[in-house]
């Protein structure tokens, strides 16, 4: 990121902090014009869900890895995203490449380990071998197999972009939506975390309800002192301030702690409080900052639709600014991560799983997003537009919403 872009995005962080202070002083938040009603059916209807998988998850860039998961050439990671097996690898030149993890011989999954370091990838079925560039470099018993043009049988490459210490992959190989149009400048804000130099400390997967119920929760601070009263929420504010870059939204609560910054010149404001709270990346990521837990850390949650409208899968990543220096720090980090898993699994998702069944029992029901829930309102409004937008018009949609 160049200097003027860093300055501009820092100015945005400062402006948000100023807006936050004003809100704290007045005790008010921005409200939308009206309460939004969304048909409850959208949370469980199989046709709607199929459309969302195809038109959201299969054609927008998805944040599939933190850069620090693949620091060296040859480092790879595999995962399944919206039903597509993906292989990510950092090549000798330092660029990340992404492929459908399926062999050009008869389609077997080529790399079955979750991560590691490799110069070549050899398919476990008949040993066809690929390099970092996805080229087919060896065919087993080639003289018996018969001639094929190897250069036409490489792995299927997927569009990939690395920004702000995160890696985005588009599951549609023919996508014309470039990563910068998609991000709407949001990455220049996220850059201030410095994630490229952070460490992935731990990772786990939590089963959840329909992906939108989970994503609604990412932007919902209204529930904190209620649903989470027995864990971390009893003293938490229930008010939220929303800041949007296209469909990507930052959610922050009015923070009296920020008022202390006023005695300092803006140039000296430390960056941590300017980045507080939750950063969502449409359609499936939340980055939650919190205090404690073994030093500066965030939880990066990656949400994926499951095998049916009523299922999702969240990969929780505990990412630390520096690796724990000793056992005390390690224990604090472990404890914090266990608490976060418990909160999400046993409070948020347990509630969401019951909620979707209850909604199914009330045909014709709607769900409501209040004037204080502008984040959820924007999410559902954008999603509606996205589902009706043809592939060729996607860049225009993102430009129009930014
Ligand atoms: S399916 Fe991969 S080598 Fe045969
Ligand atoms: Fe929650």
């Amino acid at each position: 990121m160049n200097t003027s872009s860093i300055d501009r995005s820092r100015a945005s962080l400062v402006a948000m902090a100023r807006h936050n202070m004003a809100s704290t002083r007045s005790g008010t938040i921005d409200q939308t014009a009206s309460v939004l009603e969304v048909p409850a059916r959208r949370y469980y209807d199989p046709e709607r869900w199929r459309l969302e998988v195809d038109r959201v998850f299969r054609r927008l860039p998805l944040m599939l890895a933190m850069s620090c998961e693949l620091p060296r050439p040859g480092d790879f990671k595999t995962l399944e995203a919206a039903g597509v097996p993906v292989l990510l690898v950092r090549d000798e030149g330092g660029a990340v490449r992404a492929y459908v993890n399926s062999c050009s011989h008869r389609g077997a999954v080529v790399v079955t380990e979750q991560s590691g370091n490799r110069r070549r990838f050899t398919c476990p079925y008949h040993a066809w071998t690929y390099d970092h560039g996805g080229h087919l470099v060896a065919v087993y018993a080639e003289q018996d197999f018969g001639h094929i043009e190897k250069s036409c049988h490489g792995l299927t490459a997927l569009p990939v972009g690395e920004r702000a210490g995160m890696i985005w992959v588009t599951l549609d190989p023919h996508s014309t939506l470039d990563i910068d149009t998609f991000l709407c400048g949001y990455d220049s804000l996220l850059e201030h975390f410095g994630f490229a130099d952070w460490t992935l400390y731990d990772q786990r997967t939590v089963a959840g309800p329909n992906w939108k119920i989970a994503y609604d929760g990412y932007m919902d601070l209204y529930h904190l002192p209620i649903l989470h009263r027995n864990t971390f929420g009893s003293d938490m504010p229930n008010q939220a301030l929303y800041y949007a870059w296209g469909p990507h939204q930052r959610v922050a609560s009015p923070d009296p702690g920020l008022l202390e910054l006023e005695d300092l010149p803006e140039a000296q404001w430390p960056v941590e409080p300017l980045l507080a709270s939750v950063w969502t990346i449409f359609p499936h990521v939340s980055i939650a900052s919190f205090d404690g837990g073994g030093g500066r850390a965030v939880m990066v949650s990656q949400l994926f639709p499951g095998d049916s409208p009523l299922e999702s899968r969240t990969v929780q990543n505990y990412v630390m600014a520096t690796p724990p220096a000793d056992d005390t720090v390690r224990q604090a980090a472990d404890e914090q991560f266990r608490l976060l898993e418990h909160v999400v699994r046993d409070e948020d998702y347990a509630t969401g799983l019951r909620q979707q069944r209850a909604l199914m029992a009330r045909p014709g029901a709607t769900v409501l997003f209040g004037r204080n829930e502008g984040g959820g309102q924007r999410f559902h409004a954008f999603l509606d537009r996205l589902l009706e937008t043809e592939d060729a018009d996607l860049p225009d949609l993102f430009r129009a919403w930014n």
Side-chain angles (χ1 to χ4, degrees), residues 50-85:
R50 192 66 253 170
L51 194 65
E52 289 169 352
V53 172
D54 290 344
R55 297 209 129 186
V56 182
F57 286 87
R58 292 270 180 99
R59 65 175 187 166
L60 297 190
L62 302 176
M63 203 289 279
L64 295 190
M66 304 293 288
S67 299
C68 62
E69 291 179 77
L70 310 168
R72 294 160 306 152
D75 286 347
F76 71 86
K77 171 183 181 177
T78 64
L79 76 162
E80 195 179 284
V84 179

Side-chain angles (χ1 to χ4, degrees), residues 164-210:
M166 288 177 274
I167 297 162
W168 277 266
V169 176
T170 310
L171 300 178
D172 171 9
H174 309 294
S175 171
T176 55
L177 175 65
D178 74 274
I179 180 79
D180 293 313
T181 306
F182 164 78
L183 284 171
C184 300
Y186 198 49
D187 52 315
S188 69
L189 285 299
L190 297 174
E191 191 82 51
H192 288 268
F193 280 99
F195 285 142
D197 303 317
W198 288 34
T199 302
L200 175 62
Y201 175 68
D202 202 358
Q203 191 176 64
R204 59 189 61 160
T205 301
V206 182
N210 179 280

Side-chain angles (χ1 to χ4, degrees), residues 102-110 123-130 140:
S102 174
C103 184
S104 58
H105 176 215
R106 286 229 295 284
V109 168
V110 177
C123 179
Y125 202 175
H126 315 87
W128 284 28
T129 297
Y130 304 87
Y140 171 61

Side-chain angles (χ1 to χ4, degrees), residues 372-394:
N372 58 340
E373 299 186 281
Q377 293 200 6
R378 188 177 179 89
F379 165 50
H380 285 274
F382 182 82
L383 181 59
D384 286 351
R385 290 299 314 281
L386 176 59
L387 293 180
E388 65 199 26
T389 300
E390 296 306 322
D391 293 0
D393 301 326
L394 280 177

Side-chain angles (χ1 to χ4, degrees), residues 63-69 77 79 166 195 198-206 218 284-290 297-304 313-320 333 336-337 340-341 344:
M63 203 289 279
L64 295 190
M66 304 293 288
S67 299
C68 62
E69 291 179 77
K77 171 183 181 177
L79 76 162
M166 288 177 274
F195 285 142
W198 288 34
T199 302
L200 175 62
Y201 175 68
D202 202 358
Q203 191 176 64
R204 59 189 61 160
T205 301
V206 182
Y218 288 175
H284 75 138
V285 170
S286 94
I287 302 169
S289 307
F290 43 82
V298 296
M299 187 165 81
V300 179
S301 302
Q302 296 161 293
L303 169 65
F304 298 99
R313 192 165 49 84
T314 300
V315 181
Q316 298 184 323
N317 303 276
Y318 195 81
V319 188
M320 304 182 74
Q336 179 75 43
F337 197 26
L340 292 168
E341 182 196 17
V344 172

Side-chain angles (χ1 to χ4, degrees), residues 105-360:
H105 176 215
R106 286 229 295 284
V109 168
V110 177
V111 186
T112 52
E113 298 89 336
Q114 282 189 348
S115 61
N117 185 284
R118 229 25 101 60
R119 208 168 61 82
R120 296 265 192 270
F121 299 107
T122 298
C123 179
Y125 202 175
H126 315 87
W128 284 28
T129 297
Y130 304 87
D131 66 11
H132 292 168
H135 307 105
L136 176 61
V137 292
V139 169
Y140 171 61
E142 193 171 7
Q143 68 286 7
D144 297 337
F145 187 84
H147 175 76
I148 54 159
E149 195 53 60
K150 286 203 200 68
S151 63
C152 301
H153 294 277
L155 297 173
T156 301
L158 299 172
V160 54
E162 188 167 22
R163 302 280 186 282
M166 288 177 274
I167 297 162
W168 277 266
V169 176
T170 310
L171 300 178
D172 171 9
H174 309 294
S175 171
T176 55
L177 175 65
D178 74 274
I179 180 79
D180 293 313
T181 306
F182 164 78
L183 284 171
C184 300
Y186 198 49
D187 52 315
S188 69
L189 285 299
L190 297 174
E191 191 82 51
H192 288 268
F193 280 99
F195 285 142
D197 303 317
W198 288 34
T199 302
L200 175 62
Y201 175 68
D202 202 358
Q203 191 176 64
R204 59 189 61 160
T205 301
V206 182
N210 179 280
W211 72 275
K212 295 189 300 300
I213 289 188
Y215 200 79
D216 287 342
Y218 288 175
M219 285 172 301
D220 178 344
L221 306 187
Y222 184 36
H223 76 288
L224 298 186
I226 311 301
L227 184 61
H228 301 307
R229 66 189 167 281
N230 295 326
T231 46
F232 71 99
S234 58
D235 299 327
M236 297 292 282
N238 67 359
Q239 290 183 312
L241 303 168
Y242 296 98
Y243 307 94
W245 293 260
H248 316 297
Q249 302 191 65
R250 181 198 182 184
V251 191
S253 47
D255 176 8
L258 283 175
L259 298 175
E260 291 166 21
L261 295 177
E262 280 185 319
D263 301 334
L264 287 174
E266 280 177 3
Q268 290 175 27
W269 290 5
V271 78
E272 288 84 353
L274 303 184
L275 290 168
S277 217
V278 176
W279 297 76
T280 65
I281 309 173
F282 186 86
H284 75 138
V285 170
S286 94
I287 302 169
S289 307
F290 43 82
D291 300 326
R296 193 158 179 232
V298 296
M299 187 165 81
V300 179
S301 302
Q302 296 161 293
L303 169 65
F304 298 99
D307 293 332
S308 82
L310 302 183
E311 296 165 278
S312 66
R313 192 165 49 84
T314 300
V315 181
Q316 298 184 323
N317 303 276
Y318 195 81
V319 188
M320 304 182 74
T322 48
D326 55 44
D327 279 349
T328 317
V329 180
R330 209 167 288 122
Q331 271 166 19
D334 289 342
E335 230 163 81
Q336 179 75 43
F337 197 26
R338 263 198 303 273
L339 172 71
L340 292 168
E341 182 196 17
H342 164 62
V343 164
V344 172
R345 190 190 55 217
D346 302 327
E347 295 182 346
D348 290 312
Y349 288 179
T351 301
L353 288 164
R354 288 189 292 263
Q355 175 191 352
Q356 66 188 7
R357 289 187 64 78
L359 288 172
M360 289 171 77

